[in-house]
Amino acid sequence: MSTPAALSPESRGEALSALRATGTSGPELDVLIVGGGVVGAGAALDAVTRGLDVGVVEARDWASGTSSRSSKLIHGGLRYLEMLDFGLVREALQERGLLLQRIAPHLVRPVPFLYPLTKRFVERPYVAAGVALYDALSVATGQGRGVPFHKHLSRHGTLRAAPSLKKESLVGSIRYYDAQVDDARLVVNLVRTAADYGAHAANRLKVINFLREGERVVGARVQDQDDGSEFDIRARQIVNATGVWTDETQAMVTDRGQLKVRASKGIHLVVPRDRFQSTVGLILRTEKSVLFVIPWGRHWIIGTTDTEWSLDKAHPAATAKDIDYLLDHVNQVLTTPLTREDVEGVYAGLRPLLAGESDTTAKLSREHVVAHPVPGLVVVAGGKYTTYRVMARDAVDEAVRALDERVPPSCTESVPLLGAPGFKAKWNKRSRLASRAGVHVARVEHLLNRYGSLAEEVLALIAADPQLAEPLPGADDYLRAEVVYAVTHEGARHVDDVLTRRTRISIEAWDRGVSAAPVVAGLMAPLLGWPDEQRDRETKYYLARVDAERLSQEQPDDAAADTARMAVEDIVPLA
């Protein structure tokens, strides 16, 4: 079996050369995807597996926007049933089944939740009907459930599953299942899979304008954020998948017929798993929406908020008010309240919601829309993480309608991502893999759950250099080999890429990656040809970023938090 394509520094150089050639001597691309979040990455895979010549570019890092800052859930959206949005729920449950069973079983796995009941007699039948319909819709998709059916629990059964819940806060519960994912890893995996099928993928490549011939868009002018150089990429069709930046990218082309996207800020807290006892996650009602308490390895993720955001979109900031809101609500059901001192990490993300008549972002649509505002440019916006594949398919469908050839339909429902084939067999062999590699079986399980069957590529790095088996300072869950692999196989270009997205050290470690940063920079420097000055600058930038985020989280409102966070400039360009 051939070795899968790697998003290495060399492959990025080759992609840049191929993309640059389209603006000079070479043939144009069939489709250029702008945006390296989950929808853009999904569109690149969809287009390239139809046999098209495809490029995908991202201004910063893969998944650096919304797609690395979600609730980490792959779910149908139980609350959308209450809104009678059965079509959206069914579609999302179908995608959940595909991801669990076929597309990414190494990255997406079932997770149990309790829905606590607070009222006797009336509430249980009402909630049970909704959860039963949720299960029925998942079966009706025909994709295989991938998760167990729901179960009713008494108060005693609920407290046995979650001993830290206040006895008086509930009369019982319903346990049901959804699924979770490391969102940023799924995106990188999508991009790498697209590259394996022949897509030209380059991060740190920002679109600064679109090329026009009359009314038609025929390409894009891009700037390499790492060296400042600019060049043209020509394509027969362009798909704009820039999420919360949709309005800005559309404005480069036209002010007519635009999709309007509003950004809604959601923040999440990360706390240690031992801060309260529970074998399951929780879904709690709030006055505005729902609150999830999600198992996350040795941690809990608590979220989310839903407030309008109109400030810097690259670095949304959490405020003290946001953090207190989440703590106040979760503490209503816990016997021992959580405090600010229990919070290991905080992250804020922006949902790209289609603007409507509603006054609140909590009520805006999670449906997606595909538009063709001018010839040569397709725009996709809205939607939710779980349905990224459907959004990508619909966007590429719209793009290929304008191509003068017969293009096959989407086949991504049957295309497993790299790491998925052979994953279960490798999992069954994990003890042997650990023995052969000379590492603890728990380390191999960790690698399999992050890389799937490609975990053996990480183990090969350790075999070549046993020092790479050492954990990173302040982040014992992660090995030094994973830093090397992030650069050589997953397109990481900066320390921030590794600590924030290739790993989750920035939110899982008590020091948020401060002690790991210089070690990570030292491992990355020879692989990326950094001089000592750049290695030191990378570390200083990361430490300053952590300080700025901590300061922003002490501010009373969005404006003050944004000012604190924006005190630190981005690391790029290098020179």
Side-chain angles (χ1 to χ4, degrees):
M1 187 171 66
S2 60
T3 302
L7 297 177
S8 63
E10 294 76 20
S11 73
R12 180 178 182 273
E14 292 167 3
L16 291 177
S17 296
L19 294 171
R20 190 186 295 267
T22 66
T24 54
S25 57
E28 62 186 352
L29 298 171
D30 292 318
V31 180
L32 173 65
I33 313 293
V34 180
V38 71
V39 176
L45 180 59
D46 187 286
V48 76
T49 52
R50 299 188 195 208
L52 299 174
D53 192 10
V54 178
V56 55
V57 299
E58 161 58 39
R60 295 184 295 140
D61 184 29
W62 306 117
S64 56
T66 303
S67 295
S68 61
R69 305 175 189 183
S70 73
S71 295
K72 322 285 186 243
L73 291 176
I74 297 294
H75 64 131
L78 192 58
R79 70 189 179 103
Y80 298 119
L81 283 181
E82 201 166 29
M83 302 175 188
L84 306 181
D85 201 342
F86 302 122
L88 178 63
V89 175
R90 187 181 187 281
E91 180 180 80
L93 288 172
Q94 175 171 305
E95 294 306 304
R96 186 189 72 177
L98 284 170
L99 286 160
L100 280 165
Q101 299 289 314
R102 185 183 305 162
I103 296 174
H106 57 310
L107 297 175
V108 180
R109 52 192 58 88
V111 59
F113 286 97
L114 287 183
Y115 191 113
L117 304 172
T118 59
K119 301 180 181 69
R120 294 187 182 278
F121 309 120
V122 177
E123 190 179 19
R124 189 182 288 274
Y126 177 74
V127 175
V131 177
L133 178 58
Y134 198 62
D135 282 343
L137 286 172
S138 69
V139 172
T141 63
Q143 296 300 334
R145 287 180 45 76
V147 301
F149 281 100
H150 74 279
K151 182 177 181 180
H152 287 258
L153 299 179
S154 64
R155 174 187 280 171
H156 178 71
T158 301
L159 295 174
R160 192 166 54 206
S164 289
L165 293 182
K166 290 178 182 176
K167 182 179 179 181
E168 65 273 16
S169 71
L170 52 90
V171 298
S173 68
I174 297 177
R175 186 188 68 197
Y176 77 100
Y177 281 78
D178 257 318
Q180 69 177 172
V181 65
D182 186 326
D183 46 9
R185 291 210 60 77
L186 181 67
V187 174
V188 170
N189 210 233
L190 278 165
V191 176
R192 190 176 169 193
T193 305
D196 193 51
Y197 281 99
H200 310 296
N203 54 353
R204 306 288 177 186
L205 204 59
K206 181 179 182 179
V207 172
I208 56 176
N209 211 340
F210 288 104
L211 308 179
R212 305 286 291 272
E213 289 182 359
E215 285 293 303
R216 186 174 188 80
V217 175
V218 296
R221 182 77 175 173
V222 297
Q223 182 182 58
D224 188 333
Q225 296 293 86
D226 278 356
D227 65 15
S229 63
E230 297 181 11
F231 61 92
D232 293 339
I233 303 173
R234 293 182 66 87
R236 298 164 69 191
Q237 289 287 310
I238 293 179
V239 173
N240 174 10
T242 51
V244 293
W245 287 274
T246 298
D247 291 1
E248 289 86 342
T249 45
Q250 279 188 118
M252 295 181 190
V253 176
T254 180
D255 58 1
R256 292 182 291 107
Q258 289 187 338
L259 296 178
K260 295 293 184 182
V261 174
R262 283 170 65 182
S264 165
K265 184 180 72 170
I267 83 143
H268 295 79
L269 311 180
V270 182
V271 302
R273 193 70 179 265
D274 63 6
R275 288 305 184 268
F276 59 90
Q277 288 181 279
S278 179
T279 59
V280 294
L282 305 172
I283 177 172
L284 308 172
R285 280 224 179 244
T286 71
E287 66 276 10
K288 297 178 182 177
S289 183
V290 295
L291 185 74
F292 284 102
V293 181
I294 307 162
W296 183 255
R298 296 199 287 182
H299 316 269
W300 296 101
I301 292 177
I302 301 170
T304 178
T305 57
D306 196 337
T307 56
E308 187 164 1
W309 178 265
S310 58
L311 302 168
D312 179 72
K313 293 179 179 178
H315 306 292
T319 66
K321 181 180 178 182
D322 293 330
I323 295 169
D324 290 341
Y325 172 86
L326 292 180
L327 290 175
D328 289 346
H329 279 79
V330 76
N331 284 339
Q332 291 176 15
V333 299
L334 295 180
T335 54
T336 303
L338 297 172
T339 68
R340 289 289 292 262
E341 286 68 38
D342 294 314
V343 177
E344 295 172 290
V346 181
Y347 64 94
L350 300 178
R351 304 175 191 87
L353 303 179
L354 293 174
E357 298 300 319
S358 172
D359 291 332
T360 66
T361 56
K363 295 179 181 177
L364 291 179
S365 175
R366 301 312 304 273
E367 299 278 4
H368 70 273
V369 172
V370 175
H372 216 141
V374 296
L377 178 68
V378 171
V379 181
V380 56
K384 51 190 294 220
Y385 194 104
T386 301
T387 56
Y388 80 86
R389 193 193 65 83
V390 178
M391 295 173 67
R393 179 197 67 200
D394 291 352
V396 176
D397 279 347
E398 183 63 29
V400 300
R401 285 193 188 99
L403 298 181
D404 299 326
E405 61 187 85
R406 189 173 181 84
V407 177
S410 174
C411 63
T412 49
E413 75 280 357
S414 59
V415 176
L417 303 188
L418 293 178
F423 164 63
K424 292 180 180 178
K426 289 286 194 302
W427 181 263
N428 293 338
K429 287 177 58 179
R430 61 193 184 278
S431 294
R432 294 180 184 273
L433 288 173
S435 177
R436 193 171 70 204
V439 299
H440 195 279
V441 67
R443 293 289 190 196
V444 173
E445 290 176 353
H446 162 87
L447 295 176
L448 286 169
N449 281 326
R450 285 170 50 73
Y451 306 97
S453 56
L454 300 183
E456 287 195 278
E457 295 184 343
V458 183
L459 294 173
L461 294 174
I462 294 172
D465 182 358
Q467 289 187 341
L468 295 180
E470 295 179 19
L472 291 168
D476 289 346
D477 285 345
Y478 298 97
L479 305 178
R480 297 178 184 224
E482 295 181 77
V483 178
V484 173
Y485 192 81
V487 175
T488 58
H489 289 73
E490 296 180 335
R493 304 284 298 167
H494 298 282
V495 166
D496 184 50
D497 299 345
V498 173
L499 292 176
T500 307
R501 288 170 290 278
R502 303 307 182 278
T503 71
R504 292 307 190 161
I505 292 171
S506 67
I507 59 172
E508 293 177 356
W510 279 109
D511 70 354
R512 305 195 183 183
V514 167
S515 57
V519 175
V520 170
L523 290 166
M524 296 179 75
L527 302 171
L528 291 165
W530 289 345
D532 291 347
E533 296 80 8
Q534 179 62 21
R535 180 197 63 204
D536 295 341
R537 184 167 174 251
E538 289 276 340
T539 302
K540 289 177 182 176
Y541 164 76
Y542 186 80
L543 302 189
R545 197 210 81 170
V546 170
D547 287 342
E549 287 188 346
R550 287 188 185 275
L551 181 60
S552 71
Q553 291 154 18
E554 297 172 0
Q555 305 308 307
D557 54 51
D558 284 347
D562 182 68
T563 299
R565 176 61 186 89
M566 294 307 293
V568 179
E569 296 181 359
D570 278 344
I571 189 69
V572 292
L574 292 177

